[in-house]
Amino acid sequence: MAKLLPRPPYSYREDPAVPAFDDAGPVAIMDGDCALCSWGARTIARLDRQGEFRICPLQSSTGTALARHYGLEPRDPETWLFIDQGQAWSGMEAIIRIGERLGKVGRLASPMRVLPKGLREWLYRRIAHNRYRFGRSDMCALPDPELRRRLLT
């Protein structure tokens, strides 16, 4: 598993390889071809009542550039990012933080914190490497209007 490069908050703003994007709120960068990730994107859109979250397919120019900025390989099935207030997280930590940020039902991910970090990340890697067993889905093809409003490309 590639390790997320430590970067100062908002460092991507100074990276000429990263296109400018709306980072006023949290951004989830995930596999746009994965049915499980597409479900996650729709869940974020449904639970985020304030409309703060943005969703970015990893296959987009912005998603690919952000992954590379943080030292991750965009084609690696383990690549998944969450950026909030300019700070980035990956793997299971990203999923837990998204759930906590969403609150209410989203906090169901929080109990994962009781597991040792190594076990949490092992579990994440198992899911990531088998994600297409859940099916394939183009997140951007015909998203619902709430998801479409949040998509970054």
Side-chain angles (χ1 to χ4, degrees), residues 38-52:
S38 293
W39 172 83
R42 287 189 305 276
T43 300
I44 290 169
R46 189 178 71 250
L47 295 177
D48 177 28
R49 298 286 184 214
Q50 287 76 31
E52 298 175 313

PDB file of all heavy atoms in Angstrom, residues 38-52:
ATOM      1  N   SER A  38     -19.492   4.276  -6.131  1.00  0.00           N
ATOM      2  CA  SER A  38     -20.644   5.052  -6.615  1.00  0.00           C
ATOM      3  C   SER A  38     -21.753   5.077  -5.568  1.00  0.00           C
ATOM      4  O   SER A  38     -22.387   6.105  -5.348  1.00  0.00           O
ATOM      5  CB  SER A  38     -21.172   4.473  -7.927  1.00  0.00           C
ATOM      6  OG  SER A  38     -20.224   4.646  -8.947  1.00  0.00           O
ATOM      7  N   TRP A  39     -21.964   3.945  -4.905  1.00  0.00           N
ATOM      8  CA  TRP A  39     -22.938   3.894  -3.810  1.00  0.00           C
ATOM      9  C   TRP A  39     -22.499   4.847  -2.709  1.00  0.00           C
ATOM     10  O   TRP A  39     -23.312   5.584  -2.142  1.00  0.00           O
ATOM     11  CB  TRP A  39     -23.066   2.465  -3.289  1.00  0.00           C
ATOM     12  CG  TRP A  39     -23.900   2.378  -2.059  1.00  0.00           C
ATOM     13  CD1 TRP A  39     -25.254   2.312  -1.989  1.00  0.00           C
ATOM     14  CD2 TRP A  39     -23.434   2.389  -0.703  1.00  0.00           C
ATOM     15  NE1 TRP A  39     -25.657   2.285  -0.666  1.00  0.00           N
ATOM     16  CE2 TRP A  39     -24.557   2.336   0.136  1.00  0.00           C
ATOM     17  CE3 TRP A  39     -22.166   2.447  -0.128  1.00  0.00           C
ATOM     18  CZ2 TRP A  39     -24.453   2.324   1.522  1.00  0.00           C
ATOM     19  CZ3 TRP A  39     -22.063   2.439   1.253  1.00  0.00           C
ATOM     20  CH2 TRP A  39     -23.200   2.385   2.064  1.00  0.00           C
ATOM     21  N   GLY A  40     -21.197   4.836  -2.381  1.00  0.00           N
ATOM     22  CA  GLY A  40     -20.673   5.741  -1.366  1.00  0.00           C
ATOM     23  C   GLY A  40     -20.884   7.195  -1.736  1.00  0.00           C
ATOM     24  O   GLY A  40     -21.258   8.022  -0.897  1.00  0.00           O
ATOM     25  N   ALA A  41     -20.667   7.534  -3.008  1.00  0.00           N
ATOM     26  CA  ALA A  41     -20.863   8.910  -3.470  1.00  0.00           C
ATOM     27  C   ALA A  41     -22.326   9.323  -3.335  1.00  0.00           C
ATOM     28  O   ALA A  41     -22.628  10.431  -2.872  1.00  0.00           O
ATOM     29  CB  ALA A  41     -20.412   9.040  -4.922  1.00  0.00           C
ATOM     30  N   ARG A  42     -23.235   8.442  -3.716  1.00  0.00           N
ATOM     31  CA  ARG A  42     -24.665   8.757  -3.580  1.00  0.00           C
ATOM     32  C   ARG A  42     -25.064   8.873  -2.106  1.00  0.00           C
ATOM     33  O   ARG A  42     -25.885   9.725  -1.746  1.00  0.00           O
ATOM     34  CB  ARG A  42     -25.508   7.690  -4.286  1.00  0.00           C
ATOM     35  CG  ARG A  42     -25.445   7.784  -5.804  1.00  0.00           C
ATOM     36  CD  ARG A  42     -26.455   6.874  -6.488  1.00  0.00           C
ATOM     37  NE  ARG A  42     -26.354   5.482  -6.077  1.00  0.00           N
ATOM     38  CZ  ARG A  42     -25.511   4.587  -6.594  1.00  0.00           C
ATOM     39  NH1 ARG A  42     -24.675   4.949  -7.546  1.00  0.00           N
ATOM     40  NH2 ARG A  42     -25.497   3.341  -6.160  1.00  0.00           N
ATOM     41  N   THR A  43     -24.460   8.054  -1.258  1.00  0.00           N
ATOM     42  CA  THR A  43     -24.745   8.116   0.176  1.00  0.00           C
ATOM     43  C   THR A  43     -24.260   9.448   0.755  1.00  0.00           C
ATOM     44  O   THR A  43     -24.979  10.086   1.534  1.00  0.00           O
ATOM     45  CB  THR A  43     -24.092   6.929   0.911  1.00  0.00           C
ATOM     46  OG1 THR A  43     -24.633   5.718   0.375  1.00  0.00           O
ATOM     47  CG2 THR A  43     -24.356   6.988   2.405  1.00  0.00           C
ATOM     48  N   ILE A  44     -23.071   9.870   0.376  1.00  0.00           N
ATOM     49  CA  ILE A  44     -22.563  11.168   0.828  1.00  0.00           C
ATOM     50  C   ILE A  44     -23.521  12.271   0.387  1.00  0.00           C
ATOM     51  O   ILE A  44     -23.898  13.134   1.190  1.00  0.00           O
ATOM     52  CB  ILE A  44     -21.146  11.426   0.287  1.00  0.00           C
ATOM     53  CG1 ILE A  44     -20.142  10.497   0.967  1.00  0.00           C
ATOM     54  CG2 ILE A  44     -20.743  12.894   0.488  1.00  0.00           C
ATOM     55  CD1 ILE A  44     -18.763  10.487   0.323  1.00  0.00           C
ATOM     56  N   ALA A  45     -23.932  12.253  -0.871  1.00  0.00           N
ATOM     57  CA  ALA A  45     -24.840  13.286  -1.386  1.00  0.00           C
ATOM     58  C   ALA A  45     -26.172  13.294  -0.621  1.00  0.00           C
ATOM     59  O   ALA A  45     -26.725  14.349  -0.344  1.00  0.00           O
ATOM     60  CB  ALA A  45     -25.088  13.075  -2.881  1.00  0.00           C
ATOM     61  N   ARG A  46     -26.644  12.119  -0.250  1.00  0.00           N
ATOM     62  CA  ARG A  46     -27.921  12.018   0.466  1.00  0.00           C
ATOM     63  C   ARG A  46     -27.797  12.485   1.920  1.00  0.00           C
ATOM     64  O   ARG A  46     -28.680  13.166   2.443  1.00  0.00           O
ATOM     65  CB  ARG A  46     -28.432  10.574   0.414  1.00  0.00           C
ATOM     66  CG  ARG A  46     -29.850  10.419   0.938  1.00  0.00           C
ATOM     67  CD  ARG A  46     -30.361   8.988   0.842  1.00  0.00           C
ATOM     68  NE  ARG A  46     -29.696   8.131   1.820  1.00  0.00           N
ATOM     69  CZ  ARG A  46     -28.818   7.172   1.529  1.00  0.00           C
ATOM     70  NH1 ARG A  46     -28.500   6.916   0.286  1.00  0.00           N
ATOM     71  NH2 ARG A  46     -28.258   6.449   2.464  1.00  0.00           N
ATOM     72  N   LEU A  47     -26.697  12.146   2.587  1.00  0.00           N
ATOM     73  CA  LEU A  47     -26.540  12.469   4.004  1.00  0.00           C
ATOM     74  C   LEU A  47     -26.044  13.896   4.258  1.00  0.00           C
ATOM     75  O   LEU A  47     -26.230  14.419   5.346  1.00  0.00           O
ATOM     76  CB  LEU A  47     -25.581  11.478   4.671  1.00  0.00           C
ATOM     77  CG  LEU A  47     -26.044  10.031   4.745  1.00  0.00           C
ATOM     78  CD1 LEU A  47     -24.959   9.161   5.371  1.00  0.00           C
ATOM     79  CD2 LEU A  47     -27.349   9.910   5.523  1.00  0.00           C
ATOM     80  N   ASP A  48     -25.413  14.483   3.283  1.00  0.00           N
ATOM     81  CA  ASP A  48     -24.841  15.824   3.446  1.00  0.00           C
ATOM     82  C   ASP A  48     -25.922  16.882   3.223  1.00  0.00           C
ATOM     83  O   ASP A  48     -26.051  17.435   2.142  1.00  0.00           O
ATOM     84  CB  ASP A  48     -23.678  16.016   2.476  1.00  0.00           C
ATOM     85  CG  ASP A  48     -23.075  17.400   2.541  1.00  0.00           C
ATOM     86  OD1 ASP A  48     -23.146  18.041   3.607  1.00  0.00           O
ATOM     87  OD2 ASP A  48     -22.533  17.843   1.515  1.00  0.00           O
ATOM     88  N   ARG A  49     -26.681  17.149   4.251  1.00  0.00           N
ATOM     89  CA  ARG A  49     -27.813  18.085   4.158  1.00  0.00           C
ATOM     90  C   ARG A  49     -27.390  19.523   3.863  1.00  0.00           C
ATOM     91  O   ARG A  49     -28.144  20.287   3.291  1.00  0.00           O
ATOM     92  CB  ARG A  49     -28.638  18.054   5.455  1.00  0.00           C
ATOM     93  CG  ARG A  49     -29.244  16.704   5.746  1.00  0.00           C
ATOM     94  CD  ARG A  49     -30.386  16.456   4.818  1.00  0.00           C
ATOM     95  NE  ARG A  49     -31.012  15.194   5.167  1.00  0.00           N
ATOM     96  CZ  ARG A  49     -31.548  14.387   4.288  1.00  0.00           C
ATOM     97  NH1 ARG A  49     -31.539  14.703   3.022  1.00  0.00           N
ATOM     98  NH2 ARG A  49     -32.105  13.267   4.663  1.00  0.00           N
ATOM     99  N   GLN A  50     -26.168  19.908   4.272  1.00  0.00           N
ATOM    100  CA  GLN A  50     -25.705  21.275   4.039  1.00  0.00           C
ATOM    101  C   GLN A  50     -25.131  21.461   2.632  1.00  0.00           C
ATOM    102  O   GLN A  50     -24.852  22.586   2.231  1.00  0.00           O
ATOM    103  CB  GLN A  50     -24.632  21.670   5.067  1.00  0.00           C
ATOM    104  CG  GLN A  50     -25.166  21.923   6.457  1.00  0.00           C
ATOM    105  CD  GLN A  50     -25.488  20.625   7.191  1.00  0.00           C
ATOM    106  OE1 GLN A  50     -24.842  19.599   6.966  1.00  0.00           O
ATOM    107  NE2 GLN A  50     -26.485  20.648   8.048  1.00  0.00           N
ATOM    108  N   GLY A  51     -24.946  20.380   1.915  1.00  0.00           N
ATOM    109  CA  GLY A  51     -24.428  20.480   0.545  1.00  0.00           C
ATOM    110  C   GLY A  51     -22.972  20.904   0.480  1.00  0.00           C
ATOM    111  O   GLY A  51     -22.546  21.526  -0.490  1.00  0.00           O
ATOM    112  N   GLU A  52     -22.190  20.552   1.481  1.00  0.00           N
ATOM    113  CA  GLU A  52     -20.788  20.969   1.538  1.00  0.00           C
ATOM    114  C   GLU A  52     -19.843  20.067   0.750  1.00  0.00           C
ATOM    115  O   GLU A  52     -18.847  20.537   0.201  1.00  0.00           O
ATOM    116  CB  GLU A  52     -20.313  20.989   2.991  1.00  0.00           C
ATOM    117  CG  GLU A  52     -21.057  21.968   3.851  1.00  0.00           C
ATOM    118  CD  GLU A  52     -20.652  21.867   5.306  1.00  0.00           C
ATOM    119  OE1 GLU A  52     -20.591  20.740   5.844  1.00  0.00           O
ATOM    120  OE2 GLU A  52     -20.377  22.915   5.885  1.00  0.00           O
TER     121      GLU A  52
END
